Amino acid sequence: KKRKAEEEAAAAEVEKEDKKKSKKSKKAKKEAEESKEETASTPVSEEEEEPTMKVHKKEDAATPKAGGGGAGGTEPSCEVFMGNLSWQIDEASLQEAFKACGVVQNCKWLEDRETGKFKGCGFITFATVEEAGKAVAMDGTEVLGRPVKCNYSTPRAPRAGGAGGGGGEVRPMQAKPDGCTTLFAGNLSFDIDDDQMKDFFKDCGEVSAIRWLTDRESGQFKGCGFIEFSDPDASLDLAAKKNGQQLLGRQVRLDFAAPKKPREW
């Protein structure tokens, strides 16, 4: 009888341990499932999310001005730097948010040069300084769930000793390279846009494309670009004669652009 009692006690102890292990296993399984559900429901962060907005290029019909200095300026101007913008922002939603200020003339969205992703900021041009001032006064206003930073755009200071707006000596152009179809234009005003550049060359022929150069890090306009013509054989030499002429108060520097070399694979 004593031995039988000991065997029953041992069996009960084993059963008790099995129940404990089973309970722990179920608890661990439940925690794992809850953790999995929580991970699946976590929203993608804005840094990981692919921007869905369209970044406007210089070649688009609604071409923005090539201006765009730095952010945080205090000197009133028609251009406003806006930061901390939602990835979902576009011209329509921006205009709706700032409709009390005036009509937005141009939007120059800044994007990462390497990835092409929207940086969440840009330069917005209004028709008048007064309208831009109203937009700056709205600094901190929430647009699409984010408080937008608004400051006047700071114009880039001209380089010391560089060719400014005055006359000065005209730098001679290089010899025209074989196969050249493009003209380089430098020392341009930061207020230049496609229409003004096309008007400058209107007596030379039709301008087919303009590629403005911007800084890799800041996206700021560098005051220069490349001009292409519909008929380069007929237009290029005529356009080159405008080297040193005034455009928007600055002496334009022109030069022939060497054709790109084909890539070697």
Side-chain angles (χ1 to χ4, degrees):
K1 290 181 181 180
K2 184 178 180 181
R3 185 177 180 181
K4 186 177 181 180
E6 289 175 349
E7 289 176 349
E8 289 177 349
E13 189 65 27
V14 171
E15 185 178 358
K16 185 178 180 181
E17 288 296 325
D18 288 342
K19 286 183 179 179
K20 285 183 179 181
K21 289 180 180 179
S22 177
K23 188 175 182 180
K24 288 181 179 179
S25 177
K26 288 181 180 179
K27 183 178 181 181
K29 185 177 180 180
K30 183 178 180 182
E31 290 176 348
E33 290 176 350
E34 290 176 348
S35 176
K36 186 177 181 180
E37 290 175 357
E38 184 178 354
T39 302
S41 62
T42 301
V44 179
S45 69
E46 289 183 345
E47 293 181 353
E48 296 170 331
E49 187 177 49
E50 187 73 17
T52 58
M53 65 173 294
K54 295 179 180 179
V55 180
H56 300 284
K57 306 292 184 183
K58 270 288 175 185
E59 294 76 18
D60 288 349
T63 298
K65 288 189 176 181
T74 56
E75 188 69 25
S77 68
C78 294
E79 190 174 66
V80 177
F81 172 83
M82 294 190 183
N84 197 39
L85 298 171
S86 166
W87 298 118
Q88 311 305 323
I89 195 75
D90 58 17
E91 289 188 37
S93 54
L94 189 73
Q95 177 65 74
E96 177 63 23
F98 290 90
K99 63 183 179 182
C101 303
V103 178
V104 172
Q105 302 292 310
N106 293 296
C107 296
K108 181 184 178 185
W109 309 117
L110 299 189
E111 59 182 5
D112 187 274
R113 181 169 180 175
E114 301 299 327
T115 64
K117 289 185 177 181
F118 176 50
K119 283 187 168 184
C121 56
F123 294 97
I124 314 303
T125 305
F126 290 88
T128 66
V129 175
E130 288 74 21
E131 291 180 357
K134 292 178 182 179
V136 171
M138 291 179 65
D139 179 46
T141 299
E142 281 202 7
V143 178
L144 298 182
R146 304 191 67 158
V148 177
K149 298 178 181 178
C150 301
N151 292 294
Y152 289 115
S153 171
T154 305
R156 297 180 70 183
R159 295 179 181 177
E169 184 178 349
V170 179
R171 184 185 299 183
M173 298 175 63
Q174 65 170 329
K176 187 178 179 181
D178 292 337
C180 176
T181 60
T182 306
L183 205 62
F184 171 83
N187 195 41
L188 300 173
S189 166
F190 291 101
D191 293 323
I192 192 71
D193 60 20
D194 284 19
D195 291 337
Q196 291 164 332
M197 182 58 78
K198 289 178 180 179
D199 187 63
F200 181 70
F201 288 114
K202 65 182 179 181
D203 55 347
C204 304
E206 182 184 3
V207 173
S208 60
I210 300 175
R211 288 180 287 123
W212 304 113
L213 300 187
T214 56
D215 184 87
R216 174 183 295 186
E217 301 300 327
S218 66
Q220 295 175 4
F221 176 53
K222 298 176 75 172
C224 55
F226 292 98
I227 316 300
E228 296 180 13
F229 295 87
S230 298
D231 187 357
D233 293 335
S235 301
L236 215 58
D237 291 335
L238 283 174
K241 293 179 181 180
K242 288 182 170 287
N243 183 34
Q245 291 188 16
Q246 294 285 319
L247 175 60
L248 298 181
R250 297 182 70 89
Q251 186 182 64
V252 178
R253 180 169 67 85
L254 301 177
D255 209 343
F256 294 112
K260 288 185 178 180
K261 295 181 179 180
R263 292 184 178 181
E264 296 181 0
W265 300 95

